[in-house]
Amino acid sequence: MSDGRAPRPTLPPLTTTTRMFARSLGWSPEHLLSSFRPATAADLPALLAFRQRKGWDDAAYLRWRYGLDAKGEAWPGQLWLLRTDDKVLAVVGREAQRIHYGGQAFDGQLLMDIQLLPELEGGGVWLNQSMLAHADVTLAVGANEHSIGLVRRMFSPLPQRSYRVLPLDSAAMLRQRGVGGVGGVFARVGAPVLDAGWSLAHRLAHHRTHAGIDVAEVGQVPPQDIEALRASLEPRIACVLPSAAHLQWRLFDNPRARYRLLVAHRRGSCVGYMAVRNVADDGTGKTGMHILDWKTAPGDAGAVLTALLQSVIRSARADRCSRVFTTVLDEQAVPVLKGLGFLARSSPLLVAGVHATVPLPGNGGEGRWQITDLSFDSDGIY
């Protein structure tokens, strides 16, 4: 009888991949390992030349994301690089993410900003594998066409995430999807009907909301509220819930994106939060509202999530956003999102996986995961 444990991916041991990658470089395994180290501020010029990122201040991003100026201070992010005296060959970043499950908190991490010189693409397995020992749990959330095979090979599979979108400007959505018809007739005629339907769904859901839930925007992360949520987490649900200081850093210190934080209270007690930001909505000339993360206390989580989403939708309408969107792996959230009119879109790239040395859902533990875009390396790109 199956115990529900997902098949473990099979990889050669790290000693083997180290030897193979070192040989491809013409190095010894010892030289490879000694050349792979955390980046410092002195590496910044070489990193900028290697990454060649355009459209934002990459130096500010790297300093913020990876604490290049931290001078020994503990930092949520860390960038590891492989370099010779004159150039960077590869980089991989990590963000510490505390994984809560079964009444315990485990050291987790998200790997990101992975980049190698084109001629070293075969070293991706080693680059990822070398980072796994830094945490009890490593999450893989999302992939592209180049990395999806690596994710499937290295991580135990979790259920597929889904992209959820609430169109607030159906004409723009239809035009983007090429459903304009001759002269855009369908977009002009059909869009008001769709908008009315979604508006009706929103109003009906409003009447189902339980009374007594107050939602307000706050300018900084309240530590007491995060601790209250942490204490109330359901033991059979595995999720990422950073400390208040970590969440403050991620939401309000990011040089590329400033998020807004909504907090829900009932009778003075925190029962949930939601982090959002407006982003450029390509092709419409408007903005979309991206939901990065949320947490809700158990007991009446559906009502709390509904109240938070209703507040976000009102804000998005006031800002004349064309849509509200997110990706989600959360069984409890799906009926709430559907009830508010959110549409589901699937993609093979919305994969999720876990590599863990402790029992968790998908790795021998019972229960399920809640994963939001907080564990996807967006940082203001989306």
Side-chain angles (χ1 to χ4, degrees), residues 65 76 94-100 106-110 135 137 139 141 239-242 246 250 372-376:
R65 187 43 135 155
R94 65 182 295 266
E95 180 186 329
Q97 293 199 333
R98 296 290 281 173
I99 310 295
H100 293 265
F106 301 100
D107 290 327
Q109 66 179 352
L110 167 70
V137 187
L139 284 178
V141 180
C239 68
V240 173
L241 180 57
H246 187 144
R250 184 73 186 270
T372 67
D373 283 341
L374 185 71
S375 294
F376 179 68

Side-chain angles (χ1 to χ4, degrees), residues 44-62 64-66 79-80 88-93 111-117 121 127 144 256 377-382:
L44 188 56
L47 286 169
L48 295 175
F50 175 74
R51 284 165 55 87
Q52 295 184 335
R53 300 295 172 87
K54 308 297 182 183
W56 67 76
D57 185 341
D58 201 30
Y61 167 76
L62 289 172
W64 164 77
R65 187 43 135 155
Y66 298 117
L79 186 68
W80 284 67
V88 175
L89 306 181
V91 296
V92 56
L111 300 183
M112 58 200 163
D113 280 336
I114 301 169
Q115 186 177 348
L116 302 91
L117 290 177
E121 284 299 328
L127 203 64
N144 56 41
R256 281 168 50 191
D377 184 27
S378 57
D379 278 336
I381 299 174
Y382 306 100

Side-chain angles (χ1 to χ4, degrees), residues 138-187:
T138 303
L139 284 178
V141 180
N144 56 41
E145 292 83 355
H146 304 291
S147 65
I148 190 168
L150 189 62
V151 170
R152 288 171 173 165
R153 186 180 178 194
M154 294 190 65
F155 295 87
S156 298
L158 297 178
Q160 192 88 350
R161 296 179 301 138
S162 63
Y163 175 77
R164 301 278 166 168
V165 57
L166 175 66
L168 301 179
D169 183 347
S170 299
M173 179 192 73
L174 294 171
R175 286 192 297 270
Q176 280 186 309
R177 297 177 67 86
V179 195
V182 178
V185 173
F186 186 75

